[in-house]
Amino acid sequence: MGTGGTIAGTSAVAGANTGYTAAQIGVEGLIAAVPALAEVAAGGLVAKQIAQVDSKDMSHEIWLKLARHCEKHLADPDVQGIVITHGTDTLEETAWFLQQVLDPRKPVVLCSAMRPATALAPDGPQNLLDSVIVASEPTASGVLCVAAGEIHGAREVTKVHPLRLNAFSSGDAGPLGWVEGRSVRWVRNSAPERPVASSARLVQTLPEPDLWPQVEIVMSHAGVSGALVRALAAQGVDGIVVAATGNGTLHKTLEQALEAVEQEGVLVRVASRCVEGLVHGEPDARWASANGLSPVKARICLMLDLIDDDLAAEDDDSVVGD
């Protein structure tokens, strides 16, 4: 499935690695550029263009459309796995959203590139070949990211560099495995356990994106005023994820602002600015921690939790009405 991104990008300057326009080549064109794909995909390949965007502009509408298509094909017994071409900028967010709403038993592999297709040495073709190899691997499952020969899980993967080819990292957890030649080598020589979504939510239960709750991210930093928190509450935001310092600590001014908007019904969750490690909060902490998720992934979980709450409330209302 194609969604655009740098892997589908082109530049007017021959061989340029930067200054390109993303999302110019369709997914069928990307497949045609890698003849070896036909050899590694034993059951054949079916191409579908879902969107054509620079992933910095990824939207909830595309997420839902992508999830619905994934769900349909994952239910097909003839489908062994799915590969999604995607830009690198928001790949980790799309990966975590899909993991949460699909909880797939088959592999769903997000494939990307740091250089456009017209670069002197593009990385997209090799990443696409590696992604199909992983999607064809019988022991693979869950939402994965494959880039620069590394296999990362949806929970841990984060883009950590703006230019280098191995731009993704899983922090102190490390990658799940590697693609070596046309084989997959898992860490400790065995496939990792399939990650489990935080709830039993299903794609079919998700409302249209214009009904999704608004959840925003704010950062705790030196000199923070709390004005952004108050402005978001005034706009009717439903939830706020705070990118806290260190072990979940917050500037006192920001904390006061969050306490005030919480009284107005805004749900607050605390993540950390640190890219590695896990916040060990106090047992009596006022707000729930993000359980090791990055702020952008914590935002997705809070948004989905609020959707679950809305659906549960609707069910309760229907029972009362009956």
Side-chain angles (χ1 to χ4, degrees):
M1 298 185 192
T3 67
T6 295
I7 192 171
T10 60
S11 173
V13 180
N17 290 341
T18 59
Y20 55 85
T21 302
Q24 299 300 298
I25 302 173
V27 67
E28 291 186 350
L30 298 179
I31 292 171
V34 189
L37 289 174
E39 301 172 18
V40 299
L45 294 170
V46 177
K48 177 73 175 180
Q49 194 75 43
I50 303 299
Q52 190 70 310
V53 297
D54 186 325
S55 79
K56 68 179 178 60
D57 299 320
M58 184 54 62
S59 67
H60 294 165
E61 287 77 14
I62 295 175
W63 275 0
L64 185 57
K65 182 179 180 182
L66 188 59
R68 286 171 172 169
H69 278 280
C70 284
E71 182 186 49
K72 172 186 174 182
H73 291 293
L74 288 169
D76 185 341
D78 293 329
V79 173
Q80 187 167 350
I82 293 173
V83 173
I84 300 168
T85 57
H86 196 289
T88 58
D89 285 348
T90 56
L91 181 145
E92 64 205 72
E93 297 175 60
T94 299
W96 187 239
F97 172 77
L98 292 176
Q99 179 61 52
Q100 290 297 290
V101 302
L102 294 173
D103 194 20
R105 272 63 176 172
K106 298 176 183 179
V108 176
V109 182
L110 274 74
C111 170
S112 60
M114 291 299 293
R115 294 174 178 172
T118 52
L120 182 62
D123 54 325
Q126 185 65 58
N127 286 346
L128 183 55
L129 180 62
D130 289 349
S131 295
V132 172
I133 289 170
V134 173
S136 302
E137 169 60 40
T139 60
S141 64
V143 180
L144 306 168
C145 164
V146 173
E150 296 180 337
I151 307 169
H152 298 277
R155 179 183 176 88
E156 295 84 9
V157 68
T158 301
K159 185 177 180 180
V160 296
H161 200 281
L163 292 174
R164 73 187 185 202
L165 300 188
N166 59 332
F168 290 99
S169 172
S170 288
D172 46 14
L176 298 176
W178 301 268
V179 181
E180 298 175 340
R182 295 193 178 182
S183 300
V184 171
R185 178 167 66 90
W186 300 111
V187 172
R188 301 183 185 88
N189 296 317
S190 62
E193 292 185 6
R194 181 178 56 82
V196 179
S198 62
S199 79
R201 63 175 65 94
L202 299 173
V203 175
Q204 303 98 312
T205 66
L206 293 175
E208 292 303 312
D210 60 346
L211 298 176
W212 291 9
Q214 181 186 357
V215 178
E216 302 290 346
I217 300 171
V218 299
M219 181 178 288
S220 184
H221 57 82
V224 66
S225 68
L228 181 56
V229 169
R230 292 188 290 272
L232 288 171
Q235 284 186 348
V237 71
D238 299 290
I240 293 176
V241 171
V242 191
T245 46
N247 190 36
T249 55
L250 298 174
H251 192 291
K252 62 181 181 181
T253 303
L254 182 61
E255 190 168 14
Q256 291 167 358
L258 290 167
E259 289 174 352
V261 301
E262 184 184 42
Q263 298 301 315
E264 301 171 16
V266 178
L267 201 59
V268 177
R269 194 160 293 175
V270 179
S272 177
R273 288 169 27 176
C274 297
V275 296
E276 295 187 359
L278 182 69
V279 171
H280 293 274
E282 298 299 325
D284 58 348
R286 181 179 185 119
W287 296 299
S289 77
N291 195 27
L293 292 174
S294 66
V296 293
K297 293 178 185 177
R299 187 194 78 86
I300 292 167
C301 278
L302 180 52
M303 180 177 65
L304 292 173
D305 287 347
L306 286 167
I307 291 174
D308 286 346
D309 291 345
D310 290 343
L311 292 173
E314 290 176 7
D315 289 342
D316 290 343
D317 289 343
S318 65
V319 170
V320 172
D322 292 342

